[in-house]
Amino acid sequence: MEHKELAMKETKKIALVAHDNMKRDLLEWAGFNRDLLAQHELYATAATGKLLRQELGLDVTTLQSGPLGGDQQIGAKIAEGGIDSLIFFWDPLKPQPHDPDVKALLRIAVVWNIPVACNRASADFIISSPLMSGEYQRLLPDYEHGYGEQIEGERVASSGLPGPPGDHSGVAAG
């Protein structure tokens, strides 16, 4: 697959998300890293953003609550190139009513090749990386040109549906 580059500026756009049982951990981590985080543009889902603003005085762009579409809003920003890194303290032991949104957010972060931290250790590695303090050329798969890979012998068109481009005869109407 071909790749293209997207420049991440010195000031990164960081999304911060935490499930209810993980908010205290994220808040403690953000408090420890407050001065580093304050150098970047921060985005968060509703309750997480409110906590970061109230308790740490950070400037945070707040989106909807995760279950009300906030995870999807962050995913859309990632796909548009508007988020450079995702710090997502998700609760691995408790099912969430919006689990499909959580999976979609993590998937889109991988698709668009942004750094993702799902716990304190990985968040520490990302925030302390020398790459956080300068510009960085992120490689992106070029999905617009040539994304029609062979998967188990079938061509997958850019629409993601099996078969040649424009041929959706094997797909049931909706």
Side-chain angles (χ1 to χ4, degrees):
M1 174 179 288
E2 298 290 323
H3 289 89
K4 54 186 176 181
E5 292 185 358
L6 178 66
M8 287 182 177
K9 296 181 180 172
E10 188 173 330
T11 300
K12 305 296 185 288
K13 298 171 193 161
I14 303 171
L16 300 159
V17 183
H19 285 155
D20 289 345
N21 289 344
M22 306 302 288
K23 286 192 190 327
R24 185 58 39 202
D25 283 346
L26 180 67
L27 198 58
E28 288 172 8
W29 176 84
F32 183 79
N33 292 289
R34 188 199 179 289
D35 292 342
L36 289 171
L37 288 170
Q39 298 171 26
H40 300 282
E41 241 178 271
L42 305 178
Y43 296 82
T45 49
T48 302
K50 183 177 178 183
L51 282 171
L52 291 166
R53 246 190 334 273
Q54 286 179 343
E55 297 198 23
L56 302 178
L58 288 168
D59 185 21
V60 182
T61 298
T62 304
L63 305 171
Q64 294 291 323
S65 167
L68 298 179
D71 295 339
Q72 291 180 352
Q73 286 179 302
I74 290 174
K77 286 187 170 300
I78 291 169
E80 295 167 350
I83 296 289
D84 297 318
S85 183
L86 173 63
I87 309 295
F88 187 0
F89 284 20
W90 59 277
D91 187 344
L93 300 177
K94 185 176 179 194
Q96 303 293 322
H98 63 298
D99 273 341
D101 296 343
V102 171
K103 182 178 179 181
L105 176 57
L106 293 171
R107 180 187 155 286
I108 210 75
V110 171
V111 165
W112 292 103
N113 193 29
I114 68 165
V116 179
C118 294
N119 56 39
R120 287 177 101 155
S122 56
D124 284 340
F125 273 82
I126 288 174
I127 199 72
S128 65
S129 169
L131 299 174
M132 285 296 288
S133 60
E135 286 193 18
Y136 175 77
Q137 295 296 320
R138 178 166 48 114
L139 287 180
L140 298 175
D142 189 355
Y143 294 114
E144 294 178 17
H145 299 98
Y147 188 69
E149 296 184 33
Q150 296 291 328
I151 299 177
E152 296 181 23
E154 281 193 44
R155 177 171 163 75
V156 177
S158 60
S159 68
L161 301 172
D167 174 19
H168 307 299
S169 58
V171 178

